[in-house]
Amino acid sequence: MVTANAPLALTPANVRLLDQQFDKFPTEKVLAWAWERFGAKAAVGTSFQGAGLVMLHLAKQAGIQFPVFTLDTGLLFPETLELKKRLEDFYGFQIESLEPDLTVEEQADVSGPELWKREPDLCCTMRKVLPLQGKLADLDCWITGLRRQQSDTRASIGIIELYAFDEATGRDIVKLNPMANWSREAVWQYLKDNKIPYNPLQDQGYRSIGCWPCTKRTGSGEDERAGRWTGFNKVECGIHTFLPKKVDFQI
Ligand code: SF4
């Protein structure tokens, strides 16, 4: 049997076994495993959706201080930028902002104005994926607040997954989704019970909040992420799809 704290080689087969165990663990125990295994080479990436905020609180309650970062595209809502400051005060740590190489204005000079209206995939690559890729180069474990209930594209995510970060060198990276099996209702109950600051746009019908040009309110019967990239056949920005997932689970 695999034990959570054993210094296992993180092969696809072992990651699959860990995933089966982690699905039954309390979230704090998964976070503790990552802290023990990776220390500060594990970091939380958050866009300040509810699940990420719960996860940061659970880690803090457990005495765990992962580095935390966010992708500041230059196109975030003012409410989101304000929330970042409120969260830094609430949690008592700084949140690193990763920025694209080009400002929005410089991108307009290079690629034309409002690229998000014409080529949102390219815009997301420039403003989200590339900055993230640079950050992940320094990490062994990337921790997210993804939940399976958010959308069809996330319905089968693991609590722990393994990705090929650099196929040329064979370097892999672990992706941890400790909130994968939380419901939206449980997340919001936890946030309210613990008086955790959250984005006020949530109370105005925005259930998944990204850049202002690509975020709309959603109806109650829609997926939480239905308000993202309305009018395009696009449901993910690319940060969760650009790395090849290791799927060979044969030892
Ligand atoms: S979400 Fe929209 S504005 Fe933000 S990086 Fe992607 S395409 Fe550009």
Side-chain angles (χ1 to χ4, degrees), residues 11-24:
T11 61
N14 286 342
V15 167
R16 186 182 196 186
L17 290 174
L18 284 173
D19 183 53
Q20 289 166 357
Q21 288 194 325
F22 286 1
D23 231 351
K24 301 180 186 71

Side-chain angles (χ1 to χ4, degrees), residues 73 75-76 107 115-117 119-129 210-215 228-229 234 237:
T73 60
L75 291 157
L76 299 180
Q107 178 174 290
L115 185 59
W116 51 87
K117 287 186 175 173
E119 293 187 73
D121 285 344
L122 177 58
C123 187
C124 280
T125 296
M126 294 169 76
R127 311 206 71 72
K128 293 186 174 187
V129 175
C211 297
W212 62 261
C214 302
T215 302
R228 307 287 288 271
W229 303 284
K234 176 175 171 69
C237 64

Side-chain angles (χ1 to χ4, degrees), residues 127-193:
R127 311 206 71 72
K128 293 186 174 187
V129 175
L130 293 175
L132 175 69
Q133 198 169 20
K135 180 67 181 176
L136 296 186
D138 293 331
L139 297 177
D140 293 329
C141 177
W142 169 29
I143 306 173
T144 86
L146 296 188
R147 290 185 297 108
R148 294 179 185 134
Q149 199 190 55
Q150 284 174 307
S151 65
D152 289 348
T153 54
R154 300 182 178 184
S156 59
I157 57 171
I159 301 282
I160 181 170
E161 300 174 324
L162 190 66
Y163 288 82
F165 183 76
D166 184 341
E167 290 182 298
T169 62
R171 179 173 179 271
D172 296 336
I173 187 163
V174 168
K175 184 174 176 186
L176 208 62
N177 307 308
M179 302 296 293
N181 52 18
W182 280 59
S183 68
R184 180 175 178 85
E185 293 69 29
V187 164
W188 283 91
Q189 191 63 52
Y190 187 100
L191 287 173
K192 290 192 171 158
D193 287 349

Side-chain angles (χ1 to χ4, degrees), residues 3-240:
T3 59
N5 294 325
L8 280 179
L10 292 174
T11 61
N14 286 342
V15 167
R16 186 182 196 186
L17 290 174
L18 284 173
D19 183 53
Q20 289 166 357
Q21 288 194 325
F22 286 1
D23 231 351
K24 301 180 186 71
F25 280 6
T27 306
E28 307 87 290
K29 195 168 174 182
V30 176
L31 293 168
W33 175 87
W35 183 241
E36 184 169 324
R37 175 90 195 204
F38 301 109
K41 292 293 271 184
V44 174
T46 178
S47 56
F48 314 128
Q49 315 294 335
L53 307 186
V54 170
M55 187 171 63
L56 291 176
H57 191 264
L58 289 169
K60 188 171 170 66
Q61 297 292 96
I64 297 168
Q65 179 55 74
F66 295 112
V68 182
F69 66 87
T70 193
L71 296 167
D72 185 348
T73 60
L75 291 157
L76 299 180
F77 287 95
E79 289 88 345
T80 305
L81 297 172
E82 179 60 26
L83 175 62
K84 175 176 182 268
K85 288 188 214 148
R86 289 166 60 208
L87 290 168
E88 288 176 330
D89 289 343
F90 179 80
Y91 290 122
F93 53 71
Q94 295 296 298
I95 298 170
E96 181 186 10
S97 288
L98 306 181
E99 297 177 356
D101 283 346
L102 302 182
T103 65
V104 175
E105 293 73 25
E106 288 167 342
Q107 178 174 290
D109 288 343
V110 172
S111 305
E114 300 183 318
L115 185 59
W116 51 87
K117 287 186 175 173
R118 293 174 286 112
E119 293 187 73
D121 285 344
L122 177 58
C123 187
C124 280
T125 296
M126 294 169 76
R127 311 206 71 72
K128 293 186 174 187
V129 175
L130 293 175
L132 175 69
Q133 198 169 20
K135 180 67 181 176
L136 296 186
D138 293 331
L139 297 177
D140 293 329
C141 177
W142 169 29
I143 306 173
T144 86
L146 296 188
R147 290 185 297 108
R148 294 179 185 134
Q149 199 190 55
Q150 284 174 307
S151 65
D152 289 348
T153 54
R154 300 182 178 184
S156 59
I157 57 171
I159 301 282
I160 181 170
E161 300 174 324
L162 190 66
Y163 288 82
F165 183 76
D166 184 341
E167 290 182 298
T169 62
R171 179 173 179 271
D172 296 336
I173 187 163
V174 168
K175 184 174 176 186
L176 208 62
N177 307 308
M179 302 296 293
N181 52 18
W182 280 59
S183 68
R184 180 175 178 85
E185 293 69 29
V187 164
W188 283 91
Q189 191 63 52
Y190 187 100
L191 287 173
K192 290 192 171 158
D193 287 349
N194 292 281
K195 299 183 170 48
I196 299 172
Y198 62 90
N199 200 319
L201 294 172
Q202 292 277 354
D203 293 332
Q204 298 172 32
Y206 295 87
R207 292 192 297 157
S208 174
I209 300 162
C211 297
W212 62 261
C214 302
T215 302
K216 299 272 185 295
R217 292 179 174 86
T218 49
S220 57
E222 294 181 303
D223 267 359
E224 289 176 44
R225 291 175 58 79
R228 307 287 288 271
W229 303 284
T230 314
F232 289 94
N233 183 21
K234 176 175 171 69
V235 289
E236 293 286 348
C237 64
I239 64 171
H240 296 295

